[in-house]
Amino acid sequence: MEPQGDARRKLKQRLNRIAGQVAGIQRMVDEDRYCVDILTQIAAVRSALDSVGVELLTEHVSSCVIGHGTESEHECAKPMTQEQLVEEVKTVLGRFLK
Amino acid sequence: MEPQGDARRKLKQRLNRIAGQVAGIQRMVDEDRYCVDILTQIAAVRSALDSVGVELLTEHVSSCVIGHGTESEHECAKPMTQEQLVEEVKTVLGRFLK
Amino acid sequence: MEPQGDARRKLKQRLNRIAGQVAGIQRMVDEDRYCVDILTQIAAVRSALDSVGVELLTEHVSSCVIGHGTESEHECAKPMTQEQLVEEVKTVLGRFLK
Amino acid sequence: MEPQGDARRKLKQRLNRIAGQVAGIQRMVDEDRYCVDILTQIAAVRSALDSVGVELLTEHVSSCVIGHGTESEHECAKPMTQEQLVEEVKTVLGRFLK
């Protein structure tokens, strides 16, 4: 199994878990659970999303931005220069850190 | 309809939307969509969760912490002093801002 | 020493430390230090600011919002209703979580 | 003036501004200013630090990680492989998003 596929499989697992956590929060609201317990779960999902973001962004830099113009670049191929790719990374980072 | 019920209904709507966004991200991964587009969606869900967190925390302060010991306090009632409730708010805030 | 004064003294200490950390980052840039080391320091200052924010917001809720209309409310007194104070907390929270 | 020097000059300016903002917050505390106004300033410094972080991280990726092994890599040169550099980016990103 090549890394790409492995990374993708892990990403799917993480997103499944996040979807499950969100469903759990919905149940907590339905059951009128204590607000602070709900907030704790919301903070947990937020952290999980951040981890996925860090993972995905690093993979993107590794395989698409650095690997630009090489065979290793897979579906990321877009008609962009490496400079444009770096600029795009900056934009997406700014969406997390603002 | 009293505010409590209204706030809860809005909270459910927001969580439904968030669950839908997470499902959308799962589809994007399945369809091998461009990483940066996925990251943009992840950042959007994160912002949506933050908004829900701010809303819920403010309601909690309003109805449970301030309203402590009054009739207005609903399911939030716990055998805690107002001081303990404030301490709890600090803890949960720290889970978002760390 | 009453809590108010004590909290204020601790807040000043924390801000002094943060000012020192920022000066340290400026020196690192002057000395052409490794970017990742600088980034690590920036993340540390950010965390320190978040802690101060959590502390200050909790104190504000405790002494100004809850204590509204009581003797315990000190300089926070503003011609606002408690509801307006809660709304203001929501706004400022939204500046941290956005 | 080459980009490197220009980027560094802008970074210094931003850090000067941040140091000034922190000094301003210290003054606000000395003058017993309203907590919410202080919090608003803290949130502003936090955003400014995030912007600097995004800028610096992007430059690092551009000149050190991508430029690894080329002439363009300046003081960033460290006895690391490109893979290790990517791993390091992930670690530092995780310090901002956690």
Side-chain angles (χ1 to χ4, degrees):
Chain A
M1 184 184 305
E2 31 93 55
Q4 187 56 31
D6 194 43
R8 189 144 296 244
R9 197 172 46 78
K10 276 189 195 148
L11 175 60
K12 285 187 187 186
Q13 284 177 350
R14 279 162 164 237
L15 287 171
N16 283 348
R17 209 172 311 134
I18 287 169
Q21 285 175 298
V22 172
I25 295 172
Q26 290 180 297
R27 266 194 309 278
M28 289 175 88
V29 173
D30 284 337
E31 297 166 0
D32 267 343
R33 292 280 291 281
Y34 185 51
C35 346
V36 173
D37 295 339
I38 299 176
L39 280 163
T40 299
Q41 286 309 308
I42 291 176
V45 177
R46 194 179 178 263
S47 290
L49 279 171
D50 278 354
S51 293
V52 168
V54 168
E55 190 70 40
L56 203 56
L57 191 60
T58 318
E59 270 173 50
H60 174 65
V61 167
S62 176
S63 65
C64 305
V65 185
I66 297 180
H68 186 64
T70 71
E71 286 181 48
S72 79
E73 76 180 317
H74 53 123
E75 82 277 8
C76 292
K78 272 198 156 184
M80 293 170 93
T81 64
Q82 200 172 43
E83 203 163 276
Q84 286 171 324
L85 282 165
V86 170
E87 203 52 43
E88 195 186 48
V89 163
K90 187 155 134 184
T91 305
V92 83
L93 253 182
R95 291 205 180 102
F96 280 89
L97 297 171
K98 60 183 176 185
Chain B
M1 185 183 307
E2 30 92 58
Q4 187 56 31
D6 195 43
R8 189 145 295 247
R9 197 172 46 77
K10 276 189 195 150
L11 176 60
K12 285 187 189 187
Q13 284 177 350
R14 280 162 163 236
L15 287 171
N16 283 348
R17 209 172 312 132
I18 287 169
Q21 285 175 298
V22 173
I25 294 172
Q26 290 180 298
R27 262 194 310 278
M28 290 175 88
V29 174
D30 283 337
E31 296 167 0
D32 268 343
R33 293 278 292 279
Y34 186 50
C35 344
V36 173
D37 294 339
I38 299 177
L39 280 163
T40 299
Q41 286 309 307
I42 291 176
V45 177
R46 195 180 177 263
S47 290
L49 279 172
D50 278 354
S51 294
V52 168
V54 168
E55 189 70 39
L56 204 54
L57 191 60
T58 319
E59 269 173 49
H60 175 65
V61 167
S62 177
S63 65
C64 304
V65 185
I66 298 179
H68 185 64
T70 71
E71 287 181 47
S72 79
E73 77 181 313
H74 52 123
E75 83 277 9
C76 291
K78 272 201 158 183
M80 291 171 96
T81 64
Q82 201 172 43
E83 204 163 275
Q84 286 171 324
L85 282 164
V86 169
E87 202 53 40
E88 196 185 49
V89 163
K90 186 154 131 184
T91 304
V92 82
L93 251 181
R95 290 205 182 101
F96 280 89
L97 297 170
K98 59 184 176 186
Chain C
M1 187 184 302
E2 31 93 56
Q4 187 56 31
D6 194 42
R8 189 143 295 246
R9 197 172 47 78
K10 276 190 196 147
L11 175 59
K12 285 187 189 187
Q13 284 176 350
R14 280 162 163 237
L15 287 171
N16 282 348
R17 209 172 312 135
I18 287 168
Q21 285 175 299
V22 173
I25 295 171
Q26 291 180 297
R27 262 193 311 278
M28 290 174 88
V29 174
D30 283 337
E31 297 166 1
D32 268 343
R33 293 278 292 279
Y34 186 51
C35 346
V36 173
D37 295 339
I38 299 176
L39 280 162
T40 299
Q41 287 309 308
I42 291 176
V45 177
R46 196 178 176 264
S47 290
L49 279 172
D50 279 354
S51 294
V52 168
V54 168
E55 189 70 41
L56 203 56
L57 191 60
T58 319
E59 271 173 48
H60 175 66
V61 167
S62 176
S63 64
C64 304
V65 185
I66 297 178
H68 185 65
T70 71
E71 287 181 46
S72 79
E73 78 179 316
H74 51 123
E75 82 277 10
C76 292
K78 271 201 157 182
M80 292 172 95
T81 64
Q82 201 172 43
E83 204 163 274
Q84 286 171 324
L85 282 164
V86 170
E87 203 51 43
E88 195 185 48
V89 163
K90 187 155 133 183
T91 305
V92 82
L93 253 182
R95 291 205 180 101
F96 280 89
L97 298 171
K98 59 182 177 186
Chain D
M1 187 182 306
E2 30 92 58
Q4 187 57 30
D6 194 42
R8 189 145 294 248
R9 198 172 47 76
K10 277 189 194 149
L11 176 59
K12 285 187 187 187
Q13 284 177 349
R14 279 162 164 239
L15 286 171
N16 282 347
R17 209 173 310 132
I18 287 169
Q21 284 175 299
V22 172
I25 294 172
Q26 290 180 298
R27 265 194 309 278
M28 290 175 88
V29 173
D30 284 338
E31 296 166 0
D32 268 342
R33 293 279 292 279
Y34 186 51
C35 343
V36 173
D37 295 339
I38 298 176
L39 281 162
T40 299
Q41 285 310 307
I42 291 175
V45 176
R46 196 178 175 263
S47 290
L49 279 172
D50 279 353
S51 295
V52 168
V54 169
E55 188 71 39
L56 204 55
L57 191 60
T58 319
E59 269 173 50
H60 174 66
V61 167
S62 177
S63 65
C64 304
V65 185
I66 298 179
H68 185 65
T70 70
E71 286 182 48
S72 80
E73 79 180 311
H74 51 122
E75 81 277 7
C76 291
K78 272 201 157 181
M80 293 171 94
T81 64
Q82 201 172 44
E83 204 164 274
Q84 286 170 325
L85 282 165
V86 169
E87 203 51 42
E88 195 185 49
V89 162
K90 186 154 133 186
T91 305
V92 82
L93 252 181
R95 292 205 179 102
F96 280 90
L97 297 171
K98 59 183 177 187

